[in-house]
Each structure stands twice: as structure tokens, then as C-alpha cells.
Amino acid sequence: MSTAATDEPDAVATASGDWRHVEPLYLPVTLAAAKDAFHERGFHGTSIRDIASRAGVSLPTLYYHHENKQGILVALLEAGISSILNRVRAAIADGDTPRQQLSNAIETIVLHMTADLQLASVGRELRYLDSDNPHRQHYVGMRTEMEDLLADVLRRGMASGDFQIPGNVREVLRYLLGACQEVTTWYRPEGARSPAQVAESYAATSLRAVGASSDTTTDHT
Amino acid sequence: MSTAATDEPDAVATASGDWRHVEPLYLPVTLAAAKDAFHERGFHGTSIRDIASRAGVSLPTLYYHHENKQGILVALLEAGISSILNRVRAAIADGDTPRQQLSNAIETIVLHMTADLQLASVGRELRYLDSDNPHRQHYVGMRTEMEDLLADVLRRGMASGDFQIPGNVREVLRYLLGACQEVTTWYRPEGARSPAQVAESYAATSLRAVGASSDTTTDHT
């Protein structure tokens, strides 16, 4: 709700329990400018001067908030992953069965992608961060936490008989998350499909992919 | 077999009918250098001088073969898509049922990704090509041809009762291909899983995702 021009992502909005209501994440002006620049020209194609110029701030102002270009990329990545992590937590908490929990989680992940295609694409720039960058480890830790939450849903679903996954559970999870991530490469808001339609269709395909019965009466609700 | 230093991708190797035997695509020295450069620094982070320098050729030599940096990217994209298109054709021709055809096609697509992670990643740089670039249209046409082949397999599988896809067939296909494309972001050759293991696991997950019965006796072989 605050309109103060802080340089921190809006934690209140991202912590919302309403995981189906996903709007583009509020970003401070420098991060919004960096998102546009990285999306248009990539990490190495963007200079810190480009970002300052797009944001309409001075270089000293930019350096007051961020150590360097890597620091700006990390701040963007963390804004995106903390938003999605909070929503995935809420989506799982809102389901009574592994089946409903997985469906909810996939829905909110897809809605996160379609709500801000540029921000969701910036995750690909991670490979340009130095592997010993401590902020990279923090970001990767949050992403791992999200994957662990979902792996737990898959394992509980297998234990309950809801899911039939004959192979490697982590690899099936990578399959699902990869499909969701790639929404950013083909989805266009002006196209025929609404974000909600894509999210529901991806949730249904994901349930089939984990061997959930297509008979909805197997829901233990 | 030819060792001649031509500047055309090796069409003989890519047309092989042995769709499970995927090796890194032979690329002429300038395209190999461009692949490395685009992978490390992105399209906008790479200059045409960088590519010439990495390839150990002069700028006039580079310009003899390629109009500009966009032309080099297109040549790389076309080398990758023509290889995968030929293998997908062979993989489908090698299956007797839609189930086997889809499984084969997903296997060869994943093997294409793992055989050359850098080349498979370069497809993401497509968004930097001018939309009115005629070579872009040629590349997109080949990619569409591959998607059409797979959509046809899905539709035949639905008609035969092999597959149960309640939703939008094209969107389910995007889901499958997205999952395969993202293999490039997590797969590492030094990891625990072999390319063949990942390819088989992705084929099996894809079959579940299109609602193929898990009972292999439904194969009409």
C-alpha cells in the first residue's frame, strides 16, 4: 500500500495469501529499469550507465543502493523468487490433498510467469553471475526451497497413491518446472488464451504428468 | 565424413536416420566461435569482432560468409533446427503407433539438447532478431514444421484412443517442448544422469502428460 519510493521490493504484496491474484510485482524504479534493459539487451549487453539512464537516476544514486551490475541482477532475481516462493507456500497451504496442492502450485507459478514475462525471463541471466557471488547462493537457496516444497508434495502424493511416478521424482519436478518456465517464451497477453486458462491447462497437464488419476473422484476432499 | 573447411553445417550427419545417436553438431569454425560467444555473453554482449577473434579469422573473411551478426545468429539457429527437425522426422518414422512416435520424438529432442547444451541454448537469442528479418522467418518456419509433425502425432493418438488430452492440443505440445527445452538450463554432463536416462525419463513423463495409459500392453505393436 505504501507509495514511498524505497529501493526494496514490496514484501507486503508478495506475501499475499491470495495466490491466484497475481499482478506485476512492484519494483523500485532502478530495478524496473534494469529489468527492461536486461530483457532487451541481456546482462552483458547492458551497462550500469544504461540502467541509471533508463531509471533517470545518477550513477552515485544507483551505487548507493547496489554494489555493481551483478548486485542489481541479484536484487531482481530475489524480488522474483521471493514473490513466487510466498505464493507457492500459500497455494500449497490452500490444498487439502497432494493433488490439489500440486494443481494450485502450478497455477500460481504460471500466473507469476504471465503477470510479468520480463521479470520471469530474467532468471535466465543467473548463469552470468559469478558462482562465488554470495548473493547468488542466497537466490539459489530460495529457489531450492521452492523446489523442496514441490518435491515434498510429489512424495506425499506417491505415498498416498494419488500420484504414480515410476522414475526419478526430482527429474519429473524439473520437467514440470521447465514447462512452466518456458511459458515466458511463447505467452503473449494479446493472444487468444487468458493467463487463467493457461494456468489451469498447465495444472491439468502437470497432474497427468505425475500419474494422477484423471478421475476427479479420487480427490480425498 | 568430409574434413573440408566449408562454412555450411554438415547436412549428411544431421540427416542420419539413427535418431538415438546424437553427437554435437559439426559447425564450421566461425559458427562454433559464435556459439561460444553468444552463450557466454549473449547476442548484444558479443561483437562481430569478438567472433572473428575467437574463430581466428579476419573480419573480411567473416563478412564473406555472413552479412552481419544477425546473419551469424540465424545460421546457428538454422543449423540447430535443421538437425533436430531431421531427427524428429526419423524418430516418428521409426514408430508404429502414436505412442511410440511421441516417445521417440521426445527422446531425440532431449538427446539433441544434451549433446550440445550451448547450441540448444542459442535458440533463446531468437528474440533479438528483427521480426522482419527474412532469415528469421525461414528459421521459424522450420520450427513450426517440427511442431506440426508433433501436433499431428498427438491428434492421431487422440483419434486412436492412445492419448487422452482434454484441453488445447497445441498448448499441451508447448508444455512438452518447453520441458525439453529447459533441459539445457539444468543438465550437466558431469552429473549423475546420462543423456539416455534423461531422454527416457522425459519420454515417459511426456506420455503420461498426454494421458497415454501407463499399461504398455495398450501399444498396438
Side-chain angles (χ1 to χ4, degrees), chain B residues 27-107:
Chain B
L27 290 173
V29 62
T30 51
L31 292 190
K35 180 186 76 172
D36 290 347
F38 290 152
H39 184 257
E40 277 177 34
R41 314 242 338 145
F43 181 74
H44 285 296
T46 299
S47 72
I48 201 154
R49 281 179 188 279
D50 293 337
I51 297 170
S53 162
R54 279 175 189 254
V57 303
S58 67
L59 271 181
T61 300
L62 200 60
Y63 280 117
Y64 177 79
H65 291 294
H66 302 284
E67 191 180 352
N68 51 30
K69 197 170 67 165
Q70 287 209 358
I72 296 174
L73 175 57
V74 165
L76 257 182
L77 293 173
E78 291 193 349
I81 194 73
S82 67
S83 164
I84 201 167
L85 179 56
N86 282 326
R87 287 181 192 283
V88 166
R89 274 200 204 104
I92 291 176
D94 201 27
D96 293 324
T97 60
R99 183 190 173 94
Q100 194 59 51
Q101 290 172 337
L102 179 64
S103 177
N104 290 357
I106 296 293
E107 263 194 76

Side-chain angles (χ1 to χ4, degrees), chain B residues 137-148:
Chain B
Q137 298 311 318
H138 185 230
Y139 165 76
V140 169
M142 283 199 285
R143 207 177 57 180
T144 303
E145 188 179 340
M146 187 190 73
E147 290 168 5
D148 288 348

Side-chain angles (χ1 to χ4, degrees), chain B residues 110-187:
Chain B
V110 171
L111 291 172
H112 173 88
M113 302 292 164
T114 55
D116 192 335
L117 296 165
Q118 291 194 355
L119 182 65
S121 299
V122 165
R124 304 205 185 288
E125 308 292 314
L126 174 69
R127 62 199 177 91
Y128 298 123
L129 283 186
D130 297 340
S131 56
D132 58 355
N133 183 317
H135 296 294
R136 184 189 206 278
Q137 298 311 318
H138 185 230
Y139 165 76
V140 169
M142 283 199 285
R143 207 177 57 180
T144 303
E145 188 179 340
M146 187 190 73
E147 290 168 5
D148 288 348
L149 287 172
L150 287 162
D152 184 54
V153 171
L154 294 190
R155 280 194 212 96
R156 284 189 285 106
M158 288 173 70
S160 68
D162 281 347
F163 301 153
Q164 306 288 336
I165 306 173
N168 182 315
V169 171
R170 281 277 169 183
E171 203 158 276
V172 171
L173 179 55
R174 285 194 176 119
Y175 183 107
L176 307 187
L177 292 177
C180 294
Q181 176 65 52
E182 281 284 305
V183 167
T184 59
T185 65
W186 67 263
Y187 186 75

Side-chain angles (χ1 to χ4, degrees), chain A residues 19-22 80-81 83-89 91-92 101-117 120 143 146-147 149-151 173 175-184 195 198-200 202-203 206, chain B residues 175:
Chain A
W19 53 268
R20 269 202 191 92
H21 181 75
V22 185
I81 195 72
S83 164
I84 202 168
L85 178 57
N86 282 326
R87 288 182 191 285
V88 166
R89 275 200 204 102
I92 291 175
Q101 290 172 336
L102 178 65
S103 176
N104 289 357
I106 296 292
E107 264 194 74
T108 201
I109 290 169
V110 170
L111 292 171
H112 173 88
M113 301 291 163
T114 56
D116 192 335
L117 296 166
R143 207 178 57 179
M146 187 189 75
E147 290 168 5
L149 287 172
L150 287 162
L173 179 56
Y175 183 108
L176 308 186
L177 292 176
C180 294
Q181 177 65 52
E182 281 283 306
V183 167
T184 58
V198 178
E200 283 168 29
Y202 269 54
S206 298
Chain B
Y175 183 107

Side-chain angles (χ1 to χ4, degrees), chain A residues 76-143:
Chain A
L76 258 182
L77 292 174
E78 291 193 348
I81 195 72
S82 67
S83 164
I84 202 168
L85 178 57
N86 282 326
R87 288 182 191 285
V88 166
R89 275 200 204 102
I92 291 175
D94 201 26
D96 293 323
T97 60
R99 184 190 173 95
Q100 194 60 52
Q101 290 172 336
L102 178 65
S103 176
N104 289 357
I106 296 292
E107 264 194 74
T108 201
I109 290 169
V110 170
L111 292 171
H112 173 88
M113 301 291 163
T114 56
D116 192 335
L117 296 166
Q118 291 194 354
L119 182 64
S121 299
V122 165
R124 303 204 186 289
E125 308 292 313
L126 174 70
R127 63 199 176 92
Y128 298 123
L129 283 186
D130 297 338
S131 55
D132 58 354
N133 183 318
H135 296 294
R136 183 188 205 279
Q137 299 309 319
H138 185 229
Y139 164 77
V140 169
M142 284 199 284
R143 207 178 57 179

Side-chain angles (χ1 to χ4, degrees), chain A residues 179-193:
Chain A
C180 294
Q181 177 65 52
E182 281 283 306
V183 167
T184 58
T185 65
W186 66 262
Y187 185 75
R188 294 294 170 268
E190 64 273 20
R193 303 278 289 171

Side-chain angles (χ1 to χ4, degrees), chain A residues 57-96:
Chain A
V57 302
S58 68
L59 272 181
T61 300
L62 201 60
Y63 280 117
Y64 178 79
H65 292 293
H66 303 284
E67 191 180 351
N68 51 29
K69 198 170 66 167
Q70 289 208 359
I72 296 174
L73 175 57
V74 166
L76 258 182
L77 292 174
E78 291 193 348
I81 195 72
S82 67
S83 164
I84 202 168
L85 178 57
N86 282 326
R87 288 182 191 285
V88 166
R89 275 200 204 102
I92 291 175
D94 201 26
D96 293 323

